[in-house]
Amino acid sequence: MNGSQPATDLTTVLDGDHRELDRLCTELELGQGSPENRRDLADHLIAELVRHAVAEEPYLDGEGDLAEADRLMRRLEGTGPQETRFERLLSGLIHAVRRHVRDEGPAAVRRLRGGWSPERRAELGKRVLEVRDAAPSLPHPHLADRMPQADQLWPGPGFVDRARAALNGAAEDTGSPG
C-alpha cells in the first residue's frame, strides 16, 4: 500500500477491511473460548464481512470468494455453537474469507488503483465510510435496551439479509458508492 494515500481512499479502506477480516479469522482459528464466545466472534466476523462485501461488491465480478462466504454465512446463521456442523461451516467461511483476502480482494484493489484517479477513489472511500457510519451496527448484548435497532440486527436467522438491507438503506441516504 502506498503510504501517501489518504485514509478515505477507497483502496485504503478496502485494504484495512482485508487486514481486519484476516485478524478475525486468525482469532477464530486459535479456537479459544467457549462455544458461545466463538459464536459471538463468528457473528462479529459475519457483520464485518457483510460491511466489507457491500463496499467492495460493486467493484468485483458477481461470483467468487465473497459469494461463497455469503452462502456459508447464511448456513451459519441458523446453526448453534454446540452443533457439530458449526465448526465445519465456520472453517469453510474462514477459508473463503482467507482466499478473498489473499486473491480476489487485492485484485479488485489493484483494478481500482489502476482505473480511477486518486480524487475519485478518495470520494468513493469517503462515501463508503459515510454509509458505514450511518448504518446501524451489531449491538453489544448489554446495550440492547438502549439501541432501538438492536432487534433489526440481532444475530440469528436473517441476520445477513438484515445487515445488508441496513447498509444498502444507508447508502441510499448518503448517495450510493457506485
Side-chain angles (χ1 to χ4, degrees), residues 131-138 147 149 152-153 163 166-167 170:
V131 166
R132 288 180 181 178
D133 289 345
S137 61
L138 181 65
M147 296 185 72
Q149 295 191 0
Q152 294 175 12
L153 287 181
L167 284 165

Side-chain angles (χ1 to χ4, degrees), residues 8 14 17 48 66 132 153 161 169 176:
T8 60
L14 296 178
D17 286 355
E48 290 300 317
L66 286 180
R132 288 180 181 178
L153 287 181
D161 291 328
S176 155

Side-chain angles (χ1 to χ4, degrees), residues 13-151:
V13 171
L14 296 178
D15 278 340
D17 286 355
H18 292 151
R19 283 191 305 278
E20 176 63 8
L21 291 168
D22 188 55
R23 184 193 68 75
L24 289 168
C25 287
T26 298
E27 194 171 339
L28 281 162
E29 286 171 331
L30 292 174
Q32 299 173 347
S34 70
E36 292 75 20
N37 288 347
R38 289 184 56 69
R39 174 79 243 187
D40 289 346
L41 187 55
D43 288 339
H44 185 67
L45 173 64
I46 289 169
E48 290 300 317
L49 188 55
V50 169
R51 285 172 30 126
H52 174 70
V54 167
E56 191 175 77
E57 279 174 344
Y59 316 108
L60 292 175
D61 300 330
E63 286 298 312
D65 300 321
L66 286 180
E68 175 63 17
D70 191 70
R71 285 188 286 277
L72 289 162
M73 287 187 297
R74 290 170 192 281
R75 291 180 63 199
L76 254 174
E77 286 180 326
T79 306
Q82 306 288 353
E83 294 181 52
T84 55
R85 68 187 191 128
F86 176 80
E87 289 297 332
R88 181 177 42 83
L89 290 169
L90 183 57
S91 177
L93 177 60
I94 290 169
H95 187 67
V97 170
R98 292 271 195 212
R99 277 194 322 262
H100 172 75
V101 166
R102 183 185 64 237
D103 301 326
E104 186 177 75
V109 168
R110 282 191 300 277
R111 283 193 302 274
L112 289 171
R113 279 194 187 119
W116 288 346
S117 71
E119 295 80 16
R120 178 69 174 144
R121 291 191 321 258
E123 175 189 328
L124 291 171
K126 187 174 179 181
R127 283 190 189 171
V128 165
L129 293 173
E130 287 171 357
V131 166
R132 288 180 181 178
D133 289 345
S137 61
L138 181 65
H140 189 281
H142 298 297
L143 299 178
D145 60 339
R146 289 183 262 157
M147 296 185 72
Q149 295 191 0
D151 56 333

